[in-house]
Amino acid sequence: MKEVTASAPGKLMLFGDHAVVYGHPCIVTAVDQRITATVRKNGVDIFHLDAPDMGLSAYSRTLADLGKKGTPKAVCFIEHLYKRFLEKHPQQEGIVVTTRSDFSSQFGFGSSSAVTVAFAKALTTLYGVELTNHELFTLCYQAVIDVQGIGSGFDIAAAIWGGTLYYVAPAKTVNPLGGERFELPLAVGYTGIKADTPTLVRMVETQYQAEPERVGSIFADIHQIVDDAQQAIVAQDWQKVGQLMTKNQELLQQLNVSGVQLDELIQASVDSGSYGAKLSGAGGGDCMIAVAEPDRQKIESALEAAGGQVMHVKLHAEGVRIES
Ligand code: PMV
């Protein structure tokens, strides 16, 4: 095999944000904005990467230097994963990696998880290493923890399995919800603000340490919402799904992770009739989601009027796949 190309989808957290870091479940859906990685061997002991969509061209390192200080953020995940792979499957020659993205990393659709998974799939396929989804998860999650030190891996799971998942970290439970052609009637609004996930996760961690009872009880309430939402999603009871989103949002506000723009977009969607809405992910910015029922057009116009950018994305997308 000379060259392998794989692609993986982005993600949107539907329920359970933050609580999932502490062993509670979440619900995540894959977004059909994909990242593609192409990998080939290059005959020399050098790792070479071209990732123009991440602002990086002609980056290279010797295999001995992989993972050493000074790695640009855009390549961290790929480089650490490659290093881990070589520890298990030593090679004399390096690789050339090229990535391409359907979406800008600023929207918070999970570009780092998608690129990590697409690269891992292409790399292991190139070397004939067959991994189950869970083994692929372990390889990718390890790289995320190496780089970020924290995270539930829900985004890695969405990129691997695709569809809509009820997830408990780290891939202890991965329950696909809905069938293959399942439709989630959601509107997605981008705030225009890039959120920094690790900072927000650490902020919640600090609160949890300072007030374990208050924050622990918020997490327990979120857990219940996620379990109820799982049933409501399967039953396609969008009114109930919306009510649960609004409840989840109130709890996220109590964790102080919402923000002015998020709150404005959420309010605008509810005022225009949406059954319910919440932030998606760490908070602070990035995207919010609203049930796009009963009137999608009215809800999306309201989001735009409130200064949001409506993202027309296909949800419940296919997981990682080999393209060629
Ligand atoms: O900001 P995002 O979309 O990457 O989502 C972060 C979700 C958290 O629950 C806050 C963190 C995590 O790792 O699950």
Side-chain angles (χ1 to χ4, degrees), residues 103-147:
F103 59 94
S104 159
S105 62
Q106 79 190 33
F107 297 131
F109 286 147
S111 53
S112 42
S113 49
V115 81
T116 306
V117 170
F119 169 66
K121 184 74 179 179
L123 178 73
T124 51
T125 306
L126 182 72
Y127 284 100
V129 176
E130 279 184 37
L131 299 182
T132 63
N133 278 354
H134 273 99
E135 288 164 345
L136 187 62
F137 177 90
T138 303
L139 178 64
C140 296
Y141 186 59
Q142 187 64 59
V144 170
I145 295 302
D146 284 346
V147 173

Side-chain angles (χ1 to χ4, degrees), residues 44-225:
V44 287
D45 70 336
I46 287 185
F47 164 70
H48 183 103
L49 175 78
D50 276 308
D53 295 327
M54 295 190 264
L56 202 78
S57 292
Y59 171 82
S60 65
R61 265 198 160 183
T62 62
L63 298 189
D65 280 345
L66 287 175
K68 291 207 174 138
K69 280 212 168 73
T71 307
K73 208 171 163 224
V75 283
C76 269
F77 294 94
I78 291 184
E79 190 171 321
H80 277 86
L81 191 140
Y82 184 44
K83 184 169 186 266
R84 289 265 174 199
F85 177 82
L86 290 180
E87 281 164 11
K88 262 198 152 170
H89 308 275
Q91 307 289 333
Q92 299 304 323
E93 68 177 307
I95 52 173
V96 176
V97 185
T98 314
T99 67
R100 191 175 51 76
S101 175
D102 279 355
F103 59 94
S104 159
S105 62
Q106 79 190 33
F107 297 131
F109 286 147
S111 53
S112 42
S113 49
V115 81
T116 306
V117 170
F119 169 66
K121 184 74 179 179
L123 178 73
T124 51
T125 306
L126 182 72
Y127 284 100
V129 176
E130 279 184 37
L131 299 182
T132 63
N133 278 354
H134 273 99
E135 288 164 345
L136 187 62
F137 177 90
T138 303
L139 178 64
C140 296
Y141 186 59
Q142 187 64 59
V144 170
I145 295 302
D146 284 346
V147 173
Q148 244 171 230
I150 199 163
S152 69
F154 80 105
D155 43 2
I156 296 284
I160 293 175
W161 276 271
T164 303
L165 307 171
Y166 177 97
Y167 172 86
V168 179
K172 274 192 196 144
T173 307
V174 181
N175 278 349
L177 307 182
E180 222 173 89
R181 277 182 224 293
F182 194 65
E183 297 265 339
L184 284 166
L186 300 180
V188 182
Y190 177 59
T191 54
I193 300 167
K194 174 83 197 97
D196 184 45
T197 299
T199 305
L200 282 145
V201 170
R202 295 231 149 74
M203 200 186 90
V204 171
E205 186 183 29
T206 308
Q207 275 183 69
Y208 196 14
Q209 280 161 359
E211 300 171 89
E213 269 177 35
R214 185 183 77 87
V215 175
S217 116
I218 292 175
F219 287 160
D221 289 349
I222 292 178
H223 188 139
Q224 187 59 51
I225 288 173

